[in-house]
Amino acid sequence: MPSIRFYTLSILQAAILAYILYRPSTMTQADISNADKLWFDEPCALVTTPQFASKRSDIFTIGATHMAHIHNAIFRGYNSIYQQAPYVQEADKAAFIGYALTWYRFVKSHHDDEEAELFPKVEEILGESGKDIWDETHEEHKSFLPGLAEYEKYLSSLPTPQDFNGTRLRAIMSNFQNPFTHHFHHEITTIASLSTHPAAPPPDSPESAHAASIFKTWGKKTVTKAGTFDVVPFFLLNLDTEYEDGMWANWPPMPGPVKWGLVNVAGAVHWGWWKFASCGADGRRRVLYARDDGTGKDAVDGESEGLPH
């Protein structure tokens, strides 16, 4: 059985992480005035949720909206990695690599789970006429997977953390950025459009309730199965409660103590990684941890790269 020392260290880690994630902002006036430049809505633009845009509440609009939240967490993760990569200091490289590889595991698990679980079940809902609804989606997946694999290979094969080069990582990310961004936007459009599919279940029917449960169950499972101690904290710390006028402040729906535990207890296992996340434990946007110090030089080789931030 775990010793008292183990539990003590775990509690101490959770307390330290809670302090880091909940501490008051130390943004200077210069930070505040330049916050838009330090924010993480580029280079990948966030997805507008279908419910916010259309105010519809059918099962496919809701399902597409929940998917959009997951995609936006992935986008915020991508952007936080892309924006911070050139400015990571030597002492932080191992933690940043851990954070960046967690993003990879999140995306890869999300893709695999869609292909194996969600897509076939949605096809079943629509019957024979739904057999080709994912044709474009399958091709879009193929368009960015090689680049995603290169991203993982680079980070996993570094001889030491000190060999990490943020400019190199950015170049790899840029190679698959366009097809990746297109897919993560277009898939939301595809799912939302199923609300007008001829075989879509009628509102308030048993078939509609069954379809809703498929999206709800899959949405709950897809993140947790990817990793409780890495992907789940990553996901929760890249959700912006103020997005779309605060409409999603309580998404995903879960008791406060449960969310606190997932961030601060489960997250304590890799507590050093989460300083790179785009949001704090309170769900609010924050200035990125690793950023340009104003000299125009990155932390990798001291050379000015003219990189956007």
Side-chain angles (χ1 to χ4, degrees):
M1 293 180 64
S3 65
I4 294 176
R5 183 171 180 271
F6 171 82
Y7 286 119
T8 301
L9 289 173
S10 297
I11 293 170
L12 181 60
Q13 276 190 320
I16 293 171
L17 180 62
Y19 170 76
I20 292 171
L21 296 177
Y22 283 97
R23 72 188 187 280
S25 173
T26 57
M27 292 172 67
T28 65
Q29 286 303 117
D31 286 333
I32 293 171
S33 63
N34 291 309
D36 59 322
K37 297 179 182 178
L38 299 171
W39 185 222
F40 48 81
D41 55 359
E42 58 180 36
C44 296
L46 301 180
V47 182
T48 300
T49 65
Q51 277 186 280
F52 181 81
S54 70
K55 305 301 185 286
R56 293 168 60 95
S57 59
D58 60 88
I59 56 170
F60 289 112
T61 298
I62 293 173
T65 293
H66 292 177
M67 184 71 80
H69 289 313
I70 296 173
H71 285 196
N72 279 340
I74 289 172
F75 274 150
R76 293 185 189 103
Y78 178 102
N79 291 343
S80 66
I81 293 165
Y82 185 91
Q83 298 287 11
Q84 294 179 93
Y87 309 113
V88 177
Q89 301 298 314
E90 289 293 321
D92 293 322
K93 284 185 174 181
F96 186 77
I97 292 167
Y99 178 77
L101 281 172
T102 300
W103 179 84
Y104 165 80
R105 288 190 290 274
F106 189 2
V107 177
K108 187 62 167 62
S109 176
H110 176 72
H111 159 268
D112 293 348
D113 204 32
E114 283 182 334
E115 294 280 1
E117 299 286 339
L118 181 64
F119 292 170
K121 289 180 179 178
V122 174
E123 288 177 359
E124 289 177 11
I125 294 170
L126 300 176
E128 194 62 33
S129 62
K131 295 300 182 184
D132 60 352
I133 58 173
W134 304 118
D135 286 355
E136 280 189 84
T137 303
H138 294 316
E139 292 304 311
E140 289 169 7
H141 279 175
K142 294 176 185 177
S143 70
F144 70 83
L145 285 177
L148 187 67
E150 183 183 1
Y151 171 96
E152 188 274 337
K153 181 179 179 181
Y154 170 72
L155 290 171
S156 296
S157 60
L158 290 167
T160 70
Q162 280 59 50
D163 291 296
F164 170 78
N165 183 296
T167 304
R168 170 62 180 148
L169 182 65
R170 266 195 169 186
I172 293 171
M173 296 172 76
S174 295
N175 285 338
F176 67 88
Q177 180 179 297
N178 286 342
F180 167 76
T181 303
H182 169 74
H183 164 68
F184 271 64
H185 279 266
H186 187 238
E187 185 174 274
I188 304 306
T189 302
T190 298
I191 296 172
S193 70
L194 297 179
S195 62
T196 59
H197 192 281
D204 302 319
S205 66
E207 293 79 10
S208 178
H210 173 63
S213 70
I214 287 175
F215 278 107
K216 185 175 182 180
T217 301
W218 183 85
K220 285 184 177 180
K221 186 178 67 171
T222 189
V223 176
T224 55
K225 73 186 295 186
T228 301
F229 300 104
D230 52 2
V231 172
V232 170
F234 184 103
F235 168 66
L236 293 173
L237 291 169
N238 281 291
L239 289 178
D240 175 14
T241 59
E242 298 174 317
Y243 187 60
E244 294 183 334
D245 301 330
M247 184 174 178
W248 311 109
N250 296 314
W251 195 93
M254 66 173 68
V258 173
K259 182 177 180 180
W260 190 96
L262 289 171
V263 171
N264 295 290
V265 179
V269 174
H270 301 296
W271 68 274
W273 298 358
W274 312 129
K275 58 178 171 279
F276 300 107
S278 60
C279 298
D282 60 357
R284 299 181 65 187
R285 300 175 294 175
R286 62 184 184 183
V287 174
L288 297 177
Y289 176 82
R291 58 188 189 273
D292 187 358
D293 61 5
T295 65
K297 296 179 180 180
D298 64 46
V300 176
D301 55 17
E303 296 296 326
S304 175
E305 297 291 338
L307 296 170
H309 52 82

